[in-house]
Amino acid sequence: MSKFFTFFCFIILALGNLAHVSSAHKLGVFELKQDDFSITVTNYGARIVSVILPDKNGKSADVVLGYDTIKGYMNDTSYIGAIVGRVANRIGGAEFTLNGTHYKLDANEGTSMLHGGKKGFSQVIWKVIKHEKNGPSPHITLSYHSADGEEGFPGAVVVFVTYTLSKRYKLSITMKAKAKNKATPVSLAQHSYWNLGGHDSGDILSDELQIFASHITPVDKKLIPNGEIISVKKTPYDFLSPHVIRTQIKELPNGSKGYDINYVLNGYKMKKMKPVAVVYNKKSGRVMKLSSNAPGVQLYTGNYIKDVKGKGGYVYQAHAALCLETQGFPDSVNHPNFPSQIVTPGKPYEHYMLFKFSSKKD
């Protein structure tokens, strides 16, 4: 019996045992499979649980961090695999003003709000609308109704997320939201932690990374943007050409544990699909290309992961994976010069991500 099948069965049992946590929607794990390419998703936080891909020699591995049981996800503080919102990333002071009304939010990182508050979208049970495991286009659609006033945000919002596999190792993610009765900020992000060598292969510092962004939004000590948009040229943030992460991370200012910064994607003012990043793991030969219609992407190199017991008992440490979270700019509600993330009943939210996986030999 393969370790992936064993892991899958173990998760199903764990979720089944804890299904009583919701009377409306039962917890579950749902597989999408196309030949030797598969993912599993749980409706707890609409999280990606596994992504299994072959390497350059045809050997499969799971390339995202995760846990063996639902309890692991419920106790998780790193948003592993989750859809985060209503507003991803940080809102300074956990407050903003919209249409003359001041809103005070649920602060969960000091005085700021991170990833939607103490009970953001990552910590709720989503409803499975449709699930097609196999076929030419395996997919799953999940939805969540966010009530007016939830975590302090104005207005009710209905959110939909769809994960779809297609041939030649493509994973698309569609995130949509509709404001029911009031204008409100919405900015969702998919928070998977990627290690193309395999989730249990060590750190990602030897990976090669390219990001199609000439600028970043610099932050203060609380990681809140100061409102500026500055060039990455001649700085350690420059990944316009492919660089090994280790060589760049060494050049960061003293005291920095790694990257946790929003990149302003080239062509960010256009809402069409555009290249975001390319990651290459030389040992496995796996390549991941990401494109999106979002204006920004948060590069996070797992700086604060420490002694996290993951799948199969493997213990994750700092830099065990990287996140590429396409998003609206952090704290955009408090910076008029940033692209607006305000959604109204007549203006829905649409966010697309496309991952293209491949492998190459030396």
Side-chain angles (χ1 to χ4, degrees), residues 160-216:
F160 298 89
V161 175
T162 299
Y163 296 101
T164 306
L165 301 188
S166 58
K167 288 192 179 296
R168 307 309 301 174
Y169 305 107
K170 294 178 183 178
L171 166 63
S172 66
I173 304 172
T174 300
M175 293 169 263
K176 295 184 177 182
K178 295 180 180 179
K180 302 294 288 184
N181 51 3
K182 295 178 183 178
T184 187
V186 175
S187 179
L188 308 181
Q190 213 298 324
H191 209 298
S192 285
Y193 285 71
W194 300 94
N195 186 326
L196 296 183
H199 80 95
D200 55 357
S201 65
D203 65 53
I204 47 80
L205 296 177
S206 296
D207 285 5
E208 194 176 86
L209 174 64
Q210 182 177 20
I211 301 177
F212 298 92
S214 302
H215 297 79
I216 57 171

Short mmCIF file of all heavy atoms in Angstrom, two decimals, residues 160-216:
data_model
loop_
_atom_site.label_atom_id
_atom_site.label_comp_id
_atom_site.label_asym_id
_atom_site.label_seq_id
_atom_site.Cartn_x
_atom_site.Cartn_y
_atom_site.Cartn_z
N PHE A 160 -17.10 31.79 -3.50
CA PHE A 160 -16.97 30.52 -4.19
C PHE A 160 -15.51 30.29 -4.57
O PHE A 160 -14.83 31.20 -5.02
CB PHE A 160 -17.81 30.50 -5.48
CG PHE A 160 -19.29 30.67 -5.25
CD1 PHE A 160 -19.85 31.93 -5.21
CD2 PHE A 160 -20.10 29.56 -5.07
CE1 PHE A 160 -21.22 32.09 -5.00
CE2 PHE A 160 -21.46 29.71 -4.85
CZ PHE A 160 -22.03 30.98 -4.81
N VAL A 161 -15.05 29.06 -4.39
CA VAL A 161 -13.70 28.67 -4.81
C VAL A 161 -13.81 27.38 -5.61
O VAL A 161 -14.48 26.43 -5.18
CB VAL A 161 -12.77 28.46 -3.61
CG1 VAL A 161 -11.40 27.94 -4.06
CG2 VAL A 161 -12.59 29.76 -2.83
N THR A 162 -13.14 27.34 -6.77
CA THR A 162 -13.13 26.14 -7.60
C THR A 162 -11.69 25.73 -7.89
O THR A 162 -10.88 26.56 -8.34
CB THR A 162 -13.87 26.36 -8.93
OG1 THR A 162 -15.24 26.69 -8.65
CG2 THR A 162 -13.84 25.09 -9.79
N TYR A 163 -11.38 24.47 -7.62
CA TYR A 163 -10.09 23.87 -8.00
C TYR A 163 -10.35 22.94 -9.18
O TYR A 163 -11.26 22.10 -9.13
CB TYR A 163 -9.51 23.06 -6.84
CG TYR A 163 -9.16 23.85 -5.61
CD1 TYR A 163 -10.00 23.86 -4.50
CD2 TYR A 163 -7.98 24.58 -5.54
CE1 TYR A 163 -9.68 24.58 -3.36
CE2 TYR A 163 -7.63 25.30 -4.40
CZ TYR A 163 -8.50 25.29 -3.30
OH TYR A 163 -8.17 26.01 -2.17
N THR A 164 -9.53 23.07 -10.24
CA THR A 164 -9.72 22.27 -11.45
C THR A 164 -8.39 21.75 -11.95
O THR A 164 -7.41 22.51 -12.02
CB THR A 164 -10.38 23.10 -12.56
OG1 THR A 164 -11.60 23.67 -12.08
CG2 THR A 164 -10.68 22.24 -13.79
N LEU A 165 -8.34 20.47 -12.32
CA LEU A 165 -7.17 19.89 -12.97
C LEU A 165 -7.43 19.80 -14.47
O LEU A 165 -8.55 19.55 -14.91
CB LEU A 165 -6.88 18.48 -12.45
CG LEU A 165 -6.61 18.28 -10.96
CD1 LEU A 165 -6.16 16.84 -10.72
CD2 LEU A 165 -5.58 19.26 -10.44
N SER A 166 -6.38 20.00 -15.25
CA SER A 166 -6.48 19.77 -16.69
C SER A 166 -5.20 19.10 -17.16
O SER A 166 -4.20 19.04 -16.44
CB SER A 166 -6.73 21.08 -17.44
OG SER A 166 -5.71 22.02 -17.20
N LYS A 167 -5.23 18.60 -18.36
CA LYS A 167 -4.11 17.81 -18.87
C LYS A 167 -2.83 18.61 -18.92
O LYS A 167 -2.83 19.83 -18.95
CB LYS A 167 -4.46 17.25 -20.25
CG LYS A 167 -5.49 16.13 -20.20
CD LYS A 167 -5.58 15.41 -21.53
CE LYS A 167 -6.61 14.28 -21.45
NZ LYS A 167 -6.20 13.23 -20.51
N ARG A 168 -1.75 17.86 -18.94
CA ARG A 168 -0.40 18.43 -18.93
C ARG A 168 -0.12 19.14 -17.62
O ARG A 168 0.51 20.19 -17.59
CB ARG A 168 -0.16 19.36 -20.12
CG ARG A 168 -0.46 18.73 -21.48
CD ARG A 168 0.20 17.39 -21.67
NE ARG A 168 1.66 17.47 -21.55
CZ ARG A 168 2.45 16.41 -21.56
NH1 ARG A 168 1.93 15.19 -21.62
NH2 ARG A 168 3.77 16.58 -21.48
N TYR A 169 -0.64 18.60 -16.53
CA TYR A 169 -0.28 19.04 -15.19
C TYR A 169 -0.61 20.51 -14.92
O TYR A 169 0.25 21.28 -14.51
CB TYR A 169 1.20 18.77 -14.94
CG TYR A 169 1.60 17.33 -15.17
CD1 TYR A 169 2.34 16.96 -16.28
CD2 TYR A 169 1.21 16.33 -14.28
CE1 TYR A 169 2.70 15.63 -16.50
CE2 TYR A 169 1.55 15.01 -14.49
CZ TYR A 169 2.30 14.66 -15.60
OH TYR A 169 2.64 13.35 -15.81
N LYS A 170 -1.86 20.85 -15.13
CA LYS A 170 -2.31 22.21 -14.85
C LYS A 170 -3.34 22.20 -13.72
O LYS A 170 -4.25 21.37 -13.70
CB LYS A 170 -2.93 22.86 -16.09
CG LYS A 170 -1.95 23.08 -17.23
CD LYS A 170 -2.66 23.69 -18.44
CE LYS A 170 -1.70 23.86 -19.61
NZ LYS A 170 -2.39 24.39 -20.81
N LEU A 171 -3.18 23.13 -12.78
CA LEU A 171 -4.12 23.34 -11.69
C LEU A 171 -4.60 24.78 -11.75
O LEU A 171 -3.80 25.71 -11.65
CB LEU A 171 -3.45 23.06 -10.34
CG LEU A 171 -4.19 23.55 -9.08
CD1 LEU A 171 -5.54 22.86 -8.93
CD2 LEU A 171 -3.33 23.35 -7.83
N SER A 172 -5.89 24.96 -11.92
CA SER A 172 -6.45 26.31 -11.91
C SER A 172 -7.28 26.51 -10.66
O SER A 172 -7.94 25.58 -10.17
CB SER A 172 -7.30 26.58 -13.16
OG SER A 172 -8.45 25.76 -13.17
N ILE A 173 -7.23 27.72 -10.13
CA ILE A 173 -7.99 28.08 -8.94
C ILE A 173 -8.78 29.34 -9.26
O ILE A 173 -8.20 30.35 -9.71
CB ILE A 173 -7.07 28.33 -7.73
CG1 ILE A 173 -6.20 27.10 -7.46
CG2 ILE A 173 -7.89 28.69 -6.49
CD1 ILE A 173 -5.13 27.32 -6.40
N THR A 174 -10.08 29.27 -9.07
CA THR A 174 -10.96 30.41 -9.31
C THR A 174 -11.60 30.82 -7.99
O THR A 174 -12.21 29.99 -7.31
CB THR A 174 -12.06 30.06 -10.32
OG1 THR A 174 -11.46 29.68 -11.56
CG2 THR A 174 -12.98 31.25 -10.56
N MET A 175 -11.44 32.08 -7.62
CA MET A 175 -12.04 32.62 -6.40
C MET A 175 -12.99 33.76 -6.78
O MET A 175 -12.58 34.71 -7.45
CB MET A 175 -10.95 33.14 -5.47
CG MET A 175 -10.04 32.07 -4.90
SD MET A 175 -8.56 32.70 -4.06
CE MET A 175 -7.35 32.56 -5.38
N LYS A 176 -14.24 33.61 -6.39
CA LYS A 176 -15.24 34.64 -6.70
C LYS A 176 -16.00 35.02 -5.45
O LYS A 176 -16.18 34.19 -4.54
CB LYS A 176 -16.21 34.14 -7.77
CG LYS A 176 -15.57 33.87 -9.13
CD LYS A 176 -16.60 33.47 -10.18
CE LYS A 176 -15.94 33.28 -11.54
NZ LYS A 176 -16.94 32.93 -12.59
N ALA A 177 -16.46 36.26 -5.40
CA ALA A 177 -17.24 36.73 -4.25
C ALA A 177 -18.27 37.75 -4.71
O ALA A 177 -18.01 38.55 -5.63
CB ALA A 177 -16.33 37.34 -3.19
N LYS A 178 -19.43 37.69 -4.07
CA LYS A 178 -20.51 38.63 -4.36
C LYS A 178 -20.95 39.31 -3.07
O LYS A 178 -21.27 38.63 -2.08
CB LYS A 178 -21.70 37.91 -4.99
CG LYS A 178 -21.42 37.30 -6.36
CD LYS A 178 -22.66 36.60 -6.90
CE LYS A 178 -22.40 35.97 -8.27
NZ LYS A 178 -23.60 35.26 -8.79
N ALA A 179 -20.94 40.63 -3.09
CA ALA A 179 -21.46 41.39 -1.95
C ALA A 179 -22.98 41.40 -2.04
O ALA A 179 -23.55 41.70 -3.09
CB ALA A 179 -20.91 42.81 -1.97
N LYS A 180 -23.65 41.06 -0.94
CA LYS A 180 -25.10 40.92 -0.97
C LYS A 180 -25.83 42.24 -0.75
O LYS A 180 -26.87 42.47 -1.38
CB LYS A 180 -25.54 39.91 0.11
CG LYS A 180 -24.91 38.53 -0.04
CD LYS A 180 -25.38 37.83 -1.31
CE LYS A 180 -26.82 37.38 -1.19
NZ LYS A 180 -27.25 36.62 -2.38
N ASN A 181 -25.31 43.11 0.12
CA ASN A 181 -26.10 44.28 0.48
C ASN A 181 -25.29 45.55 0.73
O ASN A 181 -25.87 46.63 0.80
CB ASN A 181 -26.96 43.98 1.71
CG ASN A 181 -26.16 43.41 2.87
OD1 ASN A 181 -24.94 43.27 2.79
ND2 ASN A 181 -26.84 43.08 3.96
N LYS A 182 -23.97 45.45 0.89
CA LYS A 182 -23.15 46.63 1.19
C LYS A 182 -21.81 46.53 0.47
O LYS A 182 -21.34 45.44 0.16
CB LYS A 182 -22.87 46.75 2.69
CG LYS A 182 -24.07 46.98 3.57
CD LYS A 182 -23.62 47.03 5.04
CE LYS A 182 -24.80 47.18 5.98
NZ LYS A 182 -24.38 47.18 7.40
N ALA A 183 -21.19 47.66 0.26
CA ALA A 183 -19.80 47.69 -0.22
C ALA A 183 -18.90 47.15 0.89
O ALA A 183 -19.12 47.42 2.08
CB ALA A 183 -19.39 49.11 -0.59
N THR A 184 -17.90 46.38 0.51
CA THR A 184 -17.00 45.78 1.49
C THR A 184 -15.69 45.40 0.83
O THR A 184 -15.67 45.11 -0.38
CB THR A 184 -17.64 44.53 2.13
OG1 THR A 184 -16.82 44.06 3.20
CG2 THR A 184 -17.82 43.41 1.12
N PRO A 185 -14.58 45.41 1.56
CA PRO A 185 -13.33 44.94 0.96
C PRO A 185 -13.30 43.41 0.87
O PRO A 185 -13.74 42.72 1.80
CB PRO A 185 -12.26 45.45 1.93
CG PRO A 185 -12.97 45.59 3.24
CD PRO A 185 -14.38 45.94 2.93
N VAL A 186 -12.81 42.90 -0.25
CA VAL A 186 -12.60 41.46 -0.44
C VAL A 186 -11.28 41.26 -1.15
O VAL A 186 -11.04 41.86 -2.21
CB VAL A 186 -13.73 40.80 -1.26
CG1 VAL A 186 -13.40 39.32 -1.52
CG2 VAL A 186 -15.07 40.92 -0.54
N SER A 187 -10.41 40.46 -0.59
CA SER A 187 -9.15 40.11 -1.22
C SER A 187 -8.75 38.74 -0.69
O SER A 187 -8.27 38.62 0.43
CB SER A 187 -8.06 41.15 -0.90
OG SER A 187 -6.83 40.77 -1.51
N LEU A 188 -8.98 37.71 -1.49
CA LEU A 188 -8.70 36.34 -1.08
C LEU A 188 -7.31 35.91 -1.54
O LEU A 188 -6.77 36.45 -2.50
CB LEU A 188 -9.74 35.38 -1.65
CG LEU A 188 -11.21 35.74 -1.41
CD1 LEU A 188 -12.11 34.68 -2.03
CD2 LEU A 188 -11.49 35.90 0.07
N ALA A 189 -6.75 34.92 -0.86
CA ALA A 189 -5.46 34.35 -1.26
C ALA A 189 -5.46 32.86 -0.98
O ALA A 189 -6.11 32.40 -0.03
CB ALA A 189 -4.30 35.03 -0.54
N GLN A 190 -4.75 32.10 -1.81
CA GLN A 190 -4.55 30.67 -1.60
C GLN A 190 -3.18 30.50 -0.96
O GLN A 190 -2.18 30.89 -1.53
CB GLN A 190 -4.64 29.93 -2.94
CG GLN A 190 -5.22 28.53 -2.86
CD GLN A 190 -4.41 27.57 -1.99
OE1 GLN A 190 -3.19 27.62 -1.97
NE2 GLN A 190 -5.09 26.69 -1.28
N HIS A 191 -3.17 29.89 0.24
CA HIS A 191 -1.98 29.94 1.09
C HIS A 191 -1.27 28.59 1.19
O HIS A 191 -0.86 28.17 2.28
CB HIS A 191 -2.38 30.43 2.48
CG HIS A 191 -1.30 31.16 3.22
ND1 HIS A 191 -0.09 30.57 3.57
CD2 HIS A 191 -1.24 32.43 3.70
CE1 HIS A 191 0.65 31.44 4.23
NE2 HIS A 191 -0.02 32.58 4.32
N SER A 192 -1.09 27.90 0.06
CA SER A 192 -0.33 26.66 0.09
C SER A 192 1.16 26.93 0.24
O SER A 192 1.67 27.95 -0.24
CB SER A 192 -0.59 25.83 -1.17
OG SER A 192 -1.85 25.22 -1.13
N TYR A 193 1.83 26.00 0.91
CA TYR A 193 3.28 26.05 1.09
C TYR A 193 3.90 25.03 0.14
O TYR A 193 3.69 23.82 0.30
CB TYR A 193 3.64 25.70 2.53
CG TYR A 193 3.37 26.78 3.55
CD1 TYR A 193 2.07 27.11 3.92
CD2 TYR A 193 4.42 27.46 4.16
CE1 TYR A 193 1.82 28.08 4.87
CE2 TYR A 193 4.19 28.43 5.12
CZ TYR A 193 2.88 28.74 5.47
OH TYR A 193 2.64 29.72 6.42
N TRP A 194 4.70 25.50 -0.81
CA TRP A 194 5.22 24.66 -1.88
C TRP A 194 6.68 24.26 -1.63
O TRP A 194 7.51 25.11 -1.30
CB TRP A 194 5.14 25.38 -3.22
CG TRP A 194 3.75 25.75 -3.62
CD1 TRP A 194 3.11 26.94 -3.38
CD2 TRP A 194 2.81 24.92 -4.31
NE1 TRP A 194 1.83 26.90 -3.89
CE2 TRP A 194 1.62 25.67 -4.46
CE3 TRP A 194 2.86 23.62 -4.82
CZ2 TRP A 194 0.50 25.17 -5.10
CZ3 TRP A 194 1.74 23.12 -5.46
CH2 TRP A 194 0.58 23.88 -5.59
N ASN A 195 6.94 22.96 -1.78
CA ASN A 195 8.32 22.46 -1.82
C ASN A 195 8.38 21.44 -2.94
O ASN A 195 7.90 20.30 -2.79
CB ASN A 195 8.73 21.83 -0.49
CG ASN A 195 10.20 21.43 -0.47
OD1 ASN A 195 10.76 21.03 -1.50
ND2 ASN A 195 10.85 21.52 0.68
N LEU A 196 8.91 21.85 -4.08
CA LEU A 196 8.87 21.00 -5.27
C LEU A 196 9.75 19.77 -5.15
O LEU A 196 9.61 18.82 -5.93
CB LEU A 196 9.29 21.82 -6.51
CG LEU A 196 8.36 22.97 -6.89
CD1 LEU A 196 8.85 23.65 -8.17
CD2 LEU A 196 6.92 22.51 -7.05
N GLY A 197 10.62 19.74 -4.17
CA GLY A 197 11.41 18.54 -3.92
C GLY A 197 10.62 17.47 -3.17
O GLY A 197 11.04 16.32 -3.08
N GLY A 198 9.46 17.85 -2.65
CA GLY A 198 8.65 16.99 -1.81
C GLY A 198 8.51 17.63 -0.44
O GLY A 198 9.46 18.26 0.06
N HIS A 199 7.35 17.49 0.17
CA HIS A 199 7.10 18.19 1.44
C HIS A 199 8.10 17.78 2.52
O HIS A 199 8.36 18.55 3.45
CB HIS A 199 5.67 17.90 1.92
CG HIS A 199 5.50 16.57 2.59
ND1 HIS A 199 5.57 16.41 3.96
CD2 HIS A 199 5.32 15.33 2.09
CE1 HIS A 199 5.41 15.14 4.27
NE2 HIS A 199 5.25 14.45 3.16
N ASP A 200 8.70 16.59 2.39
CA ASP A 200 9.63 16.09 3.41
C ASP A 200 11.07 16.06 2.92
O ASP A 200 11.89 15.26 3.38
CB ASP A 200 9.21 14.68 3.84
CG ASP A 200 9.09 13.71 2.67
OD1 ASP A 200 9.27 14.13 1.51
OD2 ASP A 200 8.78 12.52 2.92
N SER A 201 11.41 16.98 2.01
CA SER A 201 12.74 16.96 1.39
C SER A 201 13.72 17.98 1.98
O SER A 201 14.84 18.12 1.51
CB SER A 201 12.63 17.20 -0.11
OG SER A 201 12.13 18.50 -0.39
N GLY A 202 13.29 18.72 3.01
CA GLY A 202 14.18 19.73 3.58
C GLY A 202 13.74 21.13 3.21
O GLY A 202 12.55 21.40 3.06
N ASP A 203 14.68 22.05 3.04
CA ASP A 203 14.32 23.44 2.77
C ASP A 203 14.30 23.75 1.28
O ASP A 203 14.70 22.94 0.44
CB ASP A 203 15.25 24.40 3.52
CG ASP A 203 16.68 24.32 3.05
OD1 ASP A 203 16.93 24.45 1.83
OD2 ASP A 203 17.59 24.14 3.89
N ILE A 204 13.82 24.96 0.97
CA ILE A 204 13.68 25.41 -0.43
C ILE A 204 14.78 26.40 -0.83
O ILE A 204 14.70 27.03 -1.88
CB ILE A 204 12.29 26.04 -0.68
CG1 ILE A 204 11.92 27.05 0.42
CG2 ILE A 204 11.23 24.96 -0.74
CD1 ILE A 204 12.51 28.40 0.32
N LEU A 205 15.82 26.52 -0.01
CA LEU A 205 16.84 27.55 -0.25
C LEU A 205 17.65 27.29 -1.52
O LEU A 205 18.23 28.23 -2.09
CB LEU A 205 17.77 27.65 0.95
CG LEU A 205 17.10 28.12 2.25
CD1 LEU A 205 18.10 28.13 3.40
CD2 LEU A 205 16.48 29.51 2.06
N SER A 206 17.68 26.05 -1.98
CA SER A 206 18.42 25.73 -3.21
C SER A 206 17.55 25.88 -4.46
O SER A 206 18.06 25.74 -5.58
CB SER A 206 18.98 24.31 -3.15
OG SER A 206 19.93 24.19 -2.12
N ASP A 207 16.27 26.15 -4.27
CA ASP A 207 15.39 26.34 -5.43
C ASP A 207 15.72 27.62 -6.16
O ASP A 207 16.19 28.61 -5.56
CB ASP A 207 13.93 26.38 -4.98
CG ASP A 207 13.39 25.01 -4.62
OD1 ASP A 207 14.18 24.04 -4.61
OD2 ASP A 207 12.18 24.91 -4.34
N GLU A 208 15.44 27.62 -7.44
CA GLU A 208 15.63 28.80 -8.28
C GLU A 208 14.28 29.49 -8.44
O GLU A 208 13.27 28.85 -8.72
CB GLU A 208 16.17 28.37 -9.64
CG GLU A 208 16.72 29.47 -10.49
CD GLU A 208 17.32 28.92 -11.78
OE1 GLU A 208 16.57 28.72 -12.76
OE2 GLU A 208 18.54 28.65 -11.79
N LEU A 209 14.25 30.80 -8.24
CA LEU A 209 13.00 31.56 -8.24
C LEU A 209 13.09 32.75 -9.18
O LEU A 209 14.09 33.46 -9.18
CB LEU A 209 12.67 32.03 -6.83
CG LEU A 209 11.46 32.96 -6.65
CD1 LEU A 209 10.16 32.25 -7.02
CD2 LEU A 209 11.40 33.49 -5.21
N GLN A 210 12.04 32.96 -9.94
CA GLN A 210 11.89 34.16 -10.76
C GLN A 210 10.52 34.75 -10.48
O GLN A 210 9.52 34.03 -10.43
CB GLN A 210 12.01 33.82 -12.25
CG GLN A 210 11.91 35.04 -13.17
CD GLN A 210 12.12 34.68 -14.64
OE1 GLN A 210 11.98 33.52 -15.04
NE2 GLN A 210 12.44 35.67 -15.45
N ILE A 211 10.46 36.07 -10.25
CA ILE A 211 9.20 36.77 -10.02
C ILE A 211 9.11 37.92 -11.01
O ILE A 211 10.03 38.73 -11.12
CB ILE A 211 9.09 37.30 -8.58
CG1 ILE A 211 9.20 36.15 -7.57
CG2 ILE A 211 7.77 38.05 -8.38
CD1 ILE A 211 9.17 36.60 -6.12
N PHE A 212 7.98 38.01 -11.69
CA PHE A 212 7.81 39.01 -12.74
C PHE A 212 7.26 40.30 -12.15
O PHE A 212 6.13 40.72 -12.41
CB PHE A 212 6.89 38.46 -13.84
CG PHE A 212 7.46 37.23 -14.51
CD1 PHE A 212 7.15 35.97 -14.05
CD2 PHE A 212 8.33 37.36 -15.58
CE1 PHE A 212 7.68 34.83 -14.66
CE2 PHE A 212 8.88 36.24 -16.20
CZ PHE A 212 8.55 34.98 -15.73
N ALA A 213 8.10 40.93 -11.33
CA ALA A 213 7.71 42.15 -10.63
C ALA A 213 8.92 43.05 -10.46
O ALA A 213 9.93 42.62 -9.90
CB ALA A 213 7.10 41.81 -9.27
N SER A 214 8.79 44.28 -10.89
CA SER A 214 9.89 45.26 -10.80
C SER A 214 9.83 46.09 -9.53
O SER A 214 10.75 46.87 -9.27
CB SER A 214 9.86 46.19 -12.02
OG SER A 214 9.97 45.46 -13.21
N HIS A 215 8.73 45.94 -8.76
CA HIS A 215 8.54 46.78 -7.58
C HIS A 215 7.95 45.96 -6.43
O HIS A 215 7.34 44.90 -6.65
CB HIS A 215 7.61 47.96 -7.89
CG HIS A 215 8.15 48.90 -8.91
ND1 HIS A 215 8.10 48.64 -10.26
CD2 HIS A 215 8.77 50.11 -8.77
CE1 HIS A 215 8.65 49.65 -10.92
NE2 HIS A 215 9.07 50.55 -10.04
N ILE A 216 8.11 46.49 -5.22
CA ILE A 216 7.50 45.94 -4.03
C ILE A 216 6.80 47.06 -3.26
O ILE A 216 7.01 48.25 -3.54
CB ILE A 216 8.52 45.25 -3.09
CG1 ILE A 216 9.63 46.25 -2.70
CG2 ILE A 216 9.10 44.01 -3.73
CD1 ILE A 216 10.57 45.72 -1.61
#
